[in-house]
Amino acid sequence: MQTDPRGHRFAAALTSAVLAAVLITGSGLLLSLQALVFLVGAVAGPRRSPYVGLFHLLIAPRLAPPTTTEDERPLRFAQGGGAVFAVIGSLGFLTGVGWLGLLTAGFALAAAFLNAAFGYCPGCEIYPIVRRAQGRLGAGA
């Protein structure tokens, strides 16, 4: 499936704002909610992410159609990676290991900010490396 990259950059900007709020407040609940957003993007697909839904509802109608599209698979992988960081961070905050929550939320914020500001998705860049490694492991078995 192909998807509009502008929606994902918008989603990354909202994610950055939420994660910055997590770092400021130390809220495990807020990070847990962000984990759910990541999980929806990973499981149902990035186009079904609540933040991308907001983009399509509020912003996309005011824009010209996209001139380029992106493969959805690397985005799903990136959302899954974000979910892992957010779940670990949530558990850290909710069990009193605040430094773990701050650390993982900080890493997730860095990745989201890179995507929002520069269109660079670290998880998307890791995706083909993982796929190649899976191919090598499968060929050797």
Side-chain angles (χ1 to χ4, degrees):
M1 290 289 255
Q2 296 292 307
T3 187
D4 183 347
R6 300 171 301 178
H8 306 292
R9 286 188 75 176
F10 174 80
L14 289 179
T15 299
S16 295
V18 169
L19 293 170
V22 167
L23 290 176
I24 292 166
T25 64
S27 173
L29 177 60
L30 187 56
L31 189 54
S32 296
L33 293 173
Q34 180 59 51
L36 287 175
V37 171
F38 282 138
L39 285 169
V40 169
V43 174
R47 291 179 298 136
R48 291 187 176 78
S49 166
Y51 299 160
V52 175
L54 281 174
F55 170 81
H56 287 295
L57 180 69
L58 302 174
I59 297 172
R62 294 166 174 70
L63 301 175
T67 57
T68 62
T69 59
E70 291 181 348
D71 183 0
E72 188 177 89
R73 293 172 295 177
L75 295 165
R76 275 185 185 241
F77 179 82
Q79 292 289 299
V84 168
F85 276 89
V87 166
I88 292 170
S90 297
L91 291 173
F93 280 128
L94 298 173
T95 60
V97 187
W99 65 265
L100 182 60
L102 292 172
L103 180 69
T104 57
F107 280 129
L109 173 58
F113 179 78
L114 285 170
N115 194 357
F118 305 110
Y120 180 80
C121 172
C124 299
E125 297 297 323
I126 294 169
Y127 174 78
I129 296 167
V130 170
R131 294 293 294 162
R132 279 193 296 274
Q134 287 174 333
R136 285 191 193 113
L137 291 175

